[in-house]
Amino acid sequence: MIAVVLVGGEGTRLRPLTLDEPKPVLPIGGVPFMSLLLDRLAAAGVTRVILSCGYLPDRLRAGIGTPPPGLEVEVVVEDEPLGTAGAIRFAAAGRVDGPFLALNGDVLGDADFGALVAAHRAAGAVASIGLTPVDDPTRFGVVVHDEQGIVERFVEKPPNADGLGPAPWWVNAGAYVLEPSVLDMIPGDCMVSIEREVFPQLVGNGLICVRSEGYWRDIGTLESFLTANADAVAGRVHTRLQGSEEAVLIDPSATVSEEAVLVGPVLIAADAVVGARAALGPDVVIGPGATVAPDATIRGSVLLAGAQVAAHATVERSAIGRNALVGERASVSGSALGTDHAAGAGEALVGERRPG
Ligand code: GDD
Ligand code: MG
């Protein structure tokens, strides 16, 4: 089985973290997100992955690391964004000769891709969409369907829930199985959206869907990126980290003061340093080589590689970018600092993006 993974987006909602690092290689539980996705694809029996990208392709290549054994990864680069359908066509045309998986490259989940493929084959479908239940349909593609899983309507980002039935709403989870014939419906060399232009045309013409209740999260906003990190460490989603609700996972090469107070789930990656009386957790990831000075407090936050939090500083519900600095007694809440940026000593940041 071949999988095309869409990773061309600029990750605008995750800026400034995505200004110099594409969303798919940002760390979840200290591991590039794409590595976790490749684990899942290999486990589902996928042997070849085509990454369809356009934004920062070199950083993407560098960030993926070594794929799992038996999985071949090819990076295909668009000159200009072609939209979700255009990108699938560009990546898959000439490379597939049977049904293939197509995935949004920003979803952390548990759903069984093999089950989606099996349902697609059993139904003799043209296209099959994996679904997940949500409470707010306006940020997703809502899939109205009957009891057999036949799709009746596909509504991308409806302005409200009017006419869409009661909660929870079943939405496009960003995982499809497509027959190669779908590629013929997509015009070449222009922007085409699979959600707005292709799926509506396929309604009544072989479009089915499969529900899944497992863990599912789009990591595309600051809040969901932080939650996904916490969930991975807490073991709420099945990954190679094998975390648990109280997990305090410390890499053997990290240096953690005996006087630090750690409340799981917490992960401290390779070569990180945590000083005396620092209070970490719950829901904290300290990235590789990051340092937390004595008496600092960190909750619900992620420090990327080499970030530094100085003494008596407080960081809450925030992401601190690579080699970024939170100065002494600074307080950072609901904010994100980009690579090499700083919150000055004593400064208070609330809901800020720097650079914004
Ligand atoms: N190669 C390429 N080219 N990839 C693209 C392009 C493009 O022009 N545009 C978007 N992508 C990639 C993004 O990188 C991301 O992995 C995926 O396609 C989806 O784009 P998002 O921008 O993240 O879309 P969304 O999250 O607002 O909505 C999509 O995902 C929801 C589930 O998370 C839609 O598919 C919704 O229907 C769905 O419910
Ligand atoms: Mg998304």
Side-chain angles (χ1 to χ4, degrees), residues 6 8-9 52 78 82-83 87 104-106 140-141 156-157 172 195 218:
L6 295 178
S52 162
E78 294 157 36
L82 294 170
N104 285 353
D106 62 351
F140 304 102
E156 181 68 9
K157 314 236 167 76
N172 170 17
E195 297 88 348
D218 176 326

Side-chain angles (χ1 to χ4, degrees), residues 1-193:
M1 177 62 69
I2 292 184
V4 171
V5 183
L6 295 178
V7 287
E10 293 185 14
T12 48
R13 289 164 294 181
L14 259 179
R15 281 183 191 156
L17 303 180
T18 45
L19 287 175
D20 56 356
E21 195 96 87
K23 181 163 62 173
V25 296
L26 288 178
I28 300 292
V31 182
F33 167 74
M34 188 50 65
S35 301
L36 299 179
L37 183 58
L38 295 181
D39 286 352
R40 268 179 87 195
L41 290 169
V46 171
T47 52
R48 186 170 178 207
V49 172
I50 304 162
L51 294 181
S52 162
C53 73
Y55 181 64
L56 303 177
D58 295 335
R59 291 226 50 108
L60 184 76
R61 274 195 199 92
I64 301 170
T66 315
L71 193 66
E72 181 199 337
V73 178
E74 185 183 351
V75 177
V76 172
V77 184
E78 294 157 36
D79 292 333
E80 313 217 345
L82 294 170
T84 45
I88 291 172
R89 179 186 190 272
F90 184 71
R95 291 187 176 86
V96 297
D97 56 8
F100 61 99
L101 274 164
L103 307 174
N104 285 353
D106 62 351
V107 172
L108 181 67
D110 272 334
D112 178 2
F113 297 133
L116 185 61
V117 174
H120 176 88
R121 290 210 159 107
V126 175
S128 304
I129 307 175
L131 306 185
T132 192
V134 299
D135 296 329
D136 171 12
T138 62
R139 287 169 44 212
F140 304 102
V142 180
V143 181
V144 181
H145 56 286
D146 72 8
E147 278 164 20
Q148 274 76 49
I150 308 287
V151 177
E152 295 169 336
R153 275 174 78 201
F154 188 105
V155 193
E156 181 68 9
K157 314 236 167 76
N160 53 54
D162 293 355
L164 298 174
W169 291 279
W170 288 90
V171 301
N172 170 17
Y176 322 123
V177 180
L178 305 175
E179 289 298 317
S181 62
V182 173
L183 302 176
D184 302 333
M185 300 170 61
I186 305 168
D189 301 326
C190 63
M191 280 280 266
V192 187
S193 156

Side-chain angles (χ1 to χ4, degrees), residues 29 43 69 96 98 119 143 198 295 301 342 345:
V96 297
V143 181
V198 178
D295 301 294
S301 296

Side-chain angles (χ1 to χ4, degrees), residues 157-235:
K157 314 236 167 76
N160 53 54
D162 293 355
L164 298 174
W169 291 279
W170 288 90
V171 301
N172 170 17
Y176 322 123
V177 180
L178 305 175
E179 289 298 317
S181 62
V182 173
L183 302 176
D184 302 333
M185 300 170 61
I186 305 168
D189 301 326
C190 63
M191 280 280 266
V192 187
S193 156
I194 197 160
E195 297 88 348
R196 294 180 195 277
E197 292 165 77
V198 178
F199 289 148
Q201 274 191 63
L202 278 168
V203 170
N205 296 309
L207 184 61
I208 68 155
C209 59
V210 178
R211 293 180 173 191
S212 171
E213 309 251 11
Y215 182 93
W216 184 90
R217 188 172 297 281
D218 176 326
I219 62 159
T221 65
L222 177 59
E223 197 187 325
S224 65
F225 170 73
L226 296 173
T227 307
N229 269 277
D231 290 345
V233 181

